[in-house]
């Protein structure tokens, strides 16, 4: 397995370079270093000299990808792309274009993201699996039919509607929890209820349907018939056999997103005022802070690759027939 | 679901709500209940809290309460008036000739080589507690240098247990002016001040090569600036080249707040910037408040500065202020509020709902909540809806010192230039752009149609018939009436475009409109804009782009027509008329004159007007300038936005002051009324949850019966 993992890590390097290059190109197609300087220096009374000084200080006065004036390797290394990308591979995120330590900001902001994402994932997973198993259990009855209709309806609604509707219903009409906000420590709990509920409810439609399909595929297999023939109760058949055998596709979906939980949710965090990494990223995009955008995309890519590797490993844990070689 | 689950869930909810009798949805800790705390929000995290760099309203809402520039605007009086803040008096200009000899106050501008401003500070003003001032028993600085052991665990200056203070001196103001000139601090007004303060640009060049390495400090006290001289502990002289009467307004902005050298040295220590501990994030001021929680991702908290000097609520106001209760606190020491909590609230909907629930003390009105808040009466006056009135919410309106305008690029071969053809074309467009309709549709009526670049409340603005643009309006029935579209078409025909057709091609004249507008709202605006031009037979081609590209086009002068706006730095006509001053042209000089209007006659009048005191002579010059600009029509004047503000009954002294940013110290809170209102407005409603639960159970019961039957069948 070690050789396999090493190979996967080595594969990751060109992928990360490619992602980095793509981010760089996309960012600088939309923004020029001059735009970034203007955004950071403000729109009023900014002189060309101040813009040049800002770019020079942050190394944005170099050519983007190819330095015609350089010699030899310097044609590629004395560029914004090379100078800004190299440190990322050492996980040195440096400082944002507004001068803040990105590594420190990430370490602070990942906790609120996790505080929402982990309960949303766990509660959502438990609820979706239970719901899907229930629907499969009652297949070909009114419960399955109307359940499926409900799931499709839930899938068809925009995520934004859940957020605004949740805030309106739970926060504004019922007055049960704060509409938005966040706090540190245990005081954060009352601010997490609503985003977690919204996250879970908005995921029921697609999650429930997906798991229902998986379980339906399993429930018609021979081993299920054998289990029933042995006299097992339906609940035991469902949760003890069908569920365990459907774990591989479930794991594929779940383990791969585990590392990405750090990255937070762009919209949920923005609407609920949660100071997580999702809102950090969207702020950086709006403020044209390339240092943060680059760091967050890089981190997201690393975590995604990590998620895929973890998924592979998890296969070996749930299915003894799988070997990583 | 087990029958005990629901009660446990409800118990948990109750527990999380703080186990008190307060509302469950209260976002604030129970410990804050009943205290005189002002609750507000910020929508965008501040970029800079360093007064040398900060230049936006969302940053000023914090630093203007912390830093004290020498002057401030009177809270109640209108037109806006400068009054001392840390000074004994507002400094009077002293004019000097080239030899440095004094000149009389009425000396001709041509003879005035320099102007001196003498700033006389009030003694006894002290800085907020800060570790930069902390000293040990021997008088040495406790935290300079910082021991590595202490530094490593530091995340905020507040982590250091010992603080100190010291008295404000004139040298601190001098230090800050020097900071404005330091190239690596990127002060946005460095270029402007370089033109006015003697020796400023030289100083800037001198320190350019002295940039300290990370962890080192450059002591600016050692480097003199010719125009800034400390003449005693409480006396500072600033020398300006020539006359620049607007300099006093700059002295009311945070750029000129005092900076203690100890703070600059403290934050320059190795390892602090890497921990985001810098002047840009942790201000040190003498103002009524200090920043005690700095979490721009979540919350910013200001608390009363224990060393704040004596300042009292103003005793003089405008007619009507006394009746409105705005003079009830006259003579009382400021500030009234102990603490101000600003929460990050990026979206309008949660902000608005929390305001209605009583969790924010004041609010603006977004376009999506406008109908919930405002009804217009038969006379067009804005009134609160009954629902808001019932909550005791108050509405205040004020015309802002801003303008949104439609501009023509005067360098463009079709719409630009100063010939008859182009002038008539621009005038026709100015008539056709029905800004009354625009304000009604897109600004919910919150605007006043502009008749020139100067908004109401600024010297030079004229009300009534004397103030209208006669090329676009007529005066009839006691009010300004936009000229008819027929007149606009006639002008267009005289310009050589009969029926809006270009004689060269025989097709409709095509004009190009550059805008950064996007999104559904933007589309509606653009459709409206096209419709206005279509009334003249002109085809408008919209070139929408992002704001970066739009700015680039404006800098290069490739835009033909555009919309833009300006928000005043200070309440002086110069700050609006300079938007049409030739040497301020965007393409040629990188200035704010986006239309690139350049009329030598206008420029000459501007140069005479800008340094005159308000009075008949200045008004006459402004009238002549406006006549020239109206005749040339480089802008269709657009409109002046009107700000609508809502405040709860428990918030006192909430008069809007659009120039002052330091108004928190005047605010008053009635915490008992607020607590009672919050309880009354936010009772938790549980029965809908119970109902939903019952419905779910009822829906599942037949299924459960089916399940049991199946189980039994299996068992058989």
């Amino acid at each position: 397995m070690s050789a396999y993992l090493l190979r996967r890590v080595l594969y990751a390097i060109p992928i990360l370079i490619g992602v980095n290059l793509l981010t760089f190109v996309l960012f600088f197609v939309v923004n020029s270093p001059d735009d970034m300087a203007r955004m950071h220096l403000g729109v009023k009374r900014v002189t060309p000299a101040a813009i040049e000084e800002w770019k020079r200080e942050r190394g944005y006065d170099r050519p983007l990808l190819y330095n015609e004036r350089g010699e030899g390797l310097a044609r590629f290394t004395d560029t914004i792309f090379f100078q800004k990308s190299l440190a990322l591979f050492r996980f040195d995120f440096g400082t944002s274009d507004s001068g803040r330590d990105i590594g420190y900001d990430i370490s602070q902001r990942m906790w609120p993201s996790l505080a929402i994402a982990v309960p949303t994932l766990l509660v959502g997973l438990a609820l979706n699996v239970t719901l899907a198993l229930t629907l499969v259990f009652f297949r070909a009855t009114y419960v399955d039919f109307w359940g499926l209709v409900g799931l499709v309806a839930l899938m068809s609604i925009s995520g934004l509607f859940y957020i605004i509707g949740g805030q309106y219903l739970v926060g504004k009409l019922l007055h049960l929890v704060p509409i938005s906000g966040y706090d540190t420590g245990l005081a954060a709990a009352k601010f997490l209820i609503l985003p977690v509920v919204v996250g879970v409810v908005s995921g029921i439609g697609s999650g429930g349907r997906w798991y229902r399909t998986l379980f339906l595929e399993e429930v018609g297999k021979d081993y299920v018939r054998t289990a029933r023939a042995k006299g097992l109760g339906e609940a035991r058949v469902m949760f003890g056999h069908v569920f365990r055998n459907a774990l591989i596709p479930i794991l594929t979906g779940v383990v791969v997103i585990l590392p990405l939980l750090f990255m937070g949710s762009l919209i949920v965090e923005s609407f609920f005022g949660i100071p997580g990494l999702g809102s950090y990223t969207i702020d950086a995009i709006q403020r044209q802070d390339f240092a943060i955008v680059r760091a967050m995309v890089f981190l997201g890519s690393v975590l995604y690759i990590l998620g895929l590797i973890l998924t592979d490993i998890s296969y070996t844990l749930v299915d003894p027939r799988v070997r990583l070689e | 679901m087990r029958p005990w689950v629901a009660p446990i869930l409800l118990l948990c909810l109750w527990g999380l709500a703080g186990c008190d009798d307060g509302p469950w949805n209260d976002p604030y800790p129970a410990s804050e209940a009943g205290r005189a705390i002002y609750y507000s929000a910020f929508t965008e995290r501040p970029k800079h809290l360093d007064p040398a760099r900060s230049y936006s309203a969302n940053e000023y809402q914090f630093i203007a309460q912390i830093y004290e520039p020498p002057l401030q605007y009177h809270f109640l009086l209108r037109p806006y008036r400068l009054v001392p803040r840390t000074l004994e008096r507002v400094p009077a200009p002293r004019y000097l000739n080239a030899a440095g000899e004094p000149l009389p106050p009425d000396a001709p501008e041509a003879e005035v080589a320099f102007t001196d401003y003498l700033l006389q500070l009030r003694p006894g003003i002290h800085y907020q507690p800060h570790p930069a001032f902390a000293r040990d028993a021997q008088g040495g600085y406790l935290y300079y240098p910082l021991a590595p052991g202490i530094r490593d665990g530091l995340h905020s200056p507040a982590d250091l247990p010992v603080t100190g203070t010291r008295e404000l001196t004139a040298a601190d103001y001098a230090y800050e002016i020097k900071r404005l000139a330091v190239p690596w601090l990127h002060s946005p007004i460095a270029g402007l001040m370089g033109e006015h303060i003697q020796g400023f640009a030289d100083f800037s060049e001198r320190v350019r090569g002295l940039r300290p390495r990370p962890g080192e400090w450059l002591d600016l006290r050692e480097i003199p600036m010719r125009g800034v001289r400390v003449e005693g502990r409480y006396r500072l002289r600033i020398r300006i080249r020539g006359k620049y009467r607007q300099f006093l307004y700059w002295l009311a902005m945070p750029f000129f707040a005092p900076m203690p050298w100890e703070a600059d040295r403290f934050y320059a220590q190795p390892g602090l910037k890497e921990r985001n501990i810098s002047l840009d994030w942790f201000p040190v001021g003498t103002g009524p408040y200090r920043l005690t929680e700095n979490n721009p991702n979540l919350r910013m908290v200001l608390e009363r500065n224990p060393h704040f000097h004596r300042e009292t609520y103003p005793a003089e106001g405008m007619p009507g202020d006394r009746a409105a209760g705005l003079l009830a606190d006259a003579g009382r020491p400021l500030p009234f509020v102990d603490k101000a909590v600003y929460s990050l609230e990026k979206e309008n909907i949660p902000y608005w709902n929390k305001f209605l629930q009583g969790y924010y003390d004041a609010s603006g009105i977004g376009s999506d909540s406008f109908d919930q808040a405002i009804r217009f009466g038969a006379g067009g006056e804005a009134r609160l809806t009954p629902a808001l009135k019932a909550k005791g919410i108050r509405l205040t309106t004020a015309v802002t010192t801003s303008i949104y305008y439609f501009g023509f690029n005067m360098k463009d071969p079709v719409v630009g230039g100063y010939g008859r053809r182009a002038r008539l074309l621009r005038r026709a467009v100015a008539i056709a752009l029905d800004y009354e309709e625009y304000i009604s549709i897109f600004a919910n009526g919150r605007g006043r149609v502009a008749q020139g670049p100067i908004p109401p409340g600024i010297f030079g603005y004229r009300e009534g018939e004397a103030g209208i643009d006669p090329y676009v309006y007529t005066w009839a029935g006691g009010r300004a009436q936009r000229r008819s579209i027929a007149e606009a078409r006639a002008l267009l025909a005289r310009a050589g475009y009969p029926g809006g057709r270009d004689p060269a091609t025989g097709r409709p004249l095509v004009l190009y409109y550059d805008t950064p507008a996007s999104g559904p709202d933007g589309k509606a605006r653009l459709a409206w804009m096209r419709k206005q031009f279509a009334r003249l037979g002109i085809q408008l081609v919209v070139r929408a782009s992002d704001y970066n590209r739009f700015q680039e086009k404006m800098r290069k002068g490739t835009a033909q027509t555009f919309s833009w706006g300006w928000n005043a730095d200070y309440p002086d006509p110069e700050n609006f008329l300079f938007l049409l001053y030739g040497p301020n042209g965007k393409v040629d000089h990188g200035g704010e004159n986006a239309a690139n209007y350049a009329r030598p006659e206008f420029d000459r009048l501007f140069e005479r007007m800008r340094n005159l005191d308000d009075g008949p002579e200045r008004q006459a010059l402004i009238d002549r300038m406006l006549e020239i600009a109206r005749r040339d029509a480089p802008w269709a004047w657009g409109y002046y936005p009107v700000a609508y503000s809502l405040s709860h009954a428990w918030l006192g002294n909430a008069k809007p002051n659009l120039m002052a940013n330091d108004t928190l110290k005047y605010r008053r809170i009635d915490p008992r009324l607020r607590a009672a209102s919050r309880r009354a407005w936010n009772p938790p409603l549980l029965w809908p949850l119970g109902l939903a639960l019952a419905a779910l159970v009822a829906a599942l019961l037949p299924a459960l019966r089916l399940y049991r039957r199946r189980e039994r069948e299996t068992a058989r």
Side-chain angles (χ1 to χ4, degrees), chain A residues 39 45 109 137 180 190, chain B residues 26 47 297 345 569 707:
Chain A
M39 178 62 83
R45 303 184 190 277
R109 299 186 70 141
F137 178 79
S180 66
K190 69 176 171 184
Chain B
D26 188 345
K47 278 192 279 196
N297 308 322
E345 204 73 75
D569 291 308
Y707 166 72

Side-chain angles (χ1 to χ4, degrees), chain B residues 379-656:
Chain B
E381 72 283 4
R383 289 180 189 157
L384 285 174
T385 55
L388 266 65
K389 259 190 198 162
K391 283 176 177 269
I393 290 171
R394 289 170 307 202
L395 168 72
T396 47
T397 63
V399 182
T400 61
T401 48
S402 318
I403 183 167
Y404 287 121
Y405 61 89
F406 179 91
F408 300 94
N409 180 4
M410 297 299 278
K411 287 182 175 291
D412 183 82
V414 178
V415 300
Y418 302 89
R420 180 174 173 275
R421 179 199 55 80
R423 194 165 57 232
L424 294 177
L425 169 63
R426 290 193 297 266
R427 277 191 214 157
V429 171
I431 294 171
L433 285 175
D434 185 352
Y435 270 98
E436 286 84 352
E437 186 180 86
Y438 183 93
I439 293 166
S440 169
I441 298 173
F442 299 108
N444 300 110
R446 287 174 290 181
R448 273 179 71 173
V449 171
Q451 302 286 347
I454 304 173
I458 304 287
F459 182 82
Y461 176 84
R462 282 188 186 274
E463 290 282 358
E465 187 175 1
I468 65 165
D469 178 347
Y471 300 98
V472 181
Y473 285 88
T474 54
W475 188 261
R479 63 189 188 92
Q481 286 193 332
R482 183 174 289 275
R483 288 182 182 274
S484 68
I485 196 72
E487 282 186 71
R489 286 180 187 137
L491 283 174
L492 200 61
R494 284 169 58 201
Y497 303 103
R501 291 191 174 267
D502 186 347
T505 61
R507 292 181 174 173
L509 175 65
V510 177
L511 294 183
Y512 296 92
Y513 175 62
D514 275 281
T515 174
S518 59
D521 200 29
K523 277 184 182 169
R525 283 168 206 256
L526 298 177
W528 179 87
M529 195 63 86
R530 281 195 204 95
K531 190 183 132 200
Q532 307 304 304
F533 280 80
R535 294 197 300 162
L536 293 175
I538 296 174
Q539 184 185 339
L540 186 72
V541 176
V542 175
R543 297 192 294 201
S545 56
D546 61 49
Y547 193 56
N548 289 334
R549 297 286 79 72
F550 172 71
Q551 282 189 306
E552 191 182 333
K553 284 180 184 176
M554 297 303 295
R555 280 197 302 277
K556 290 181 177 170
T558 53
Q560 191 175 56
T561 65
F562 58 92
S563 293
W564 218 337
W566 179 255
N567 193 19
D569 291 308
Y570 41 80
D572 191 88
E574 180 266 354
N575 199 230
F576 287 92
L577 292 169
F578 91 127
L579 299 171
L580 295 170
Y581 179 51
N584 199 25
K586 190 165 273 297
V587 172
D588 294 335
H589 308 282
E592 302 292 349
N593 177 358
N596 301 297
Y597 180 61
R599 261 292 195 198
E601 191 187 355
F602 183 96
D603 295 346
R604 274 195 301 276
L605 292 169
F606 176 83
E607 284 155 13
R608 279 177 60 197
M609 177 280 305
R610 65 181 165 190
N611 283 319
L612 285 178
D613 289 331
D614 291 348
E617 187 185 353
R618 200 177 200 212
Q619 181 69 59
L621 288 176
I622 291 171
D623 289 344
R624 284 172 61 192
M625 292 169 74
L626 290 180
E627 164 52 26
I628 294 168
R630 284 167 177 158
R631 193 180 63 225
D632 284 339
W635 298 359
W637 302 114
Y639 70 103
Y640 315 117
V642 177
Y644 282 33
S645 314
L646 300 176
S647 56
H648 282 294
W650 55 77
L651 181 67
N653 303 330
K655 179 171 179 170

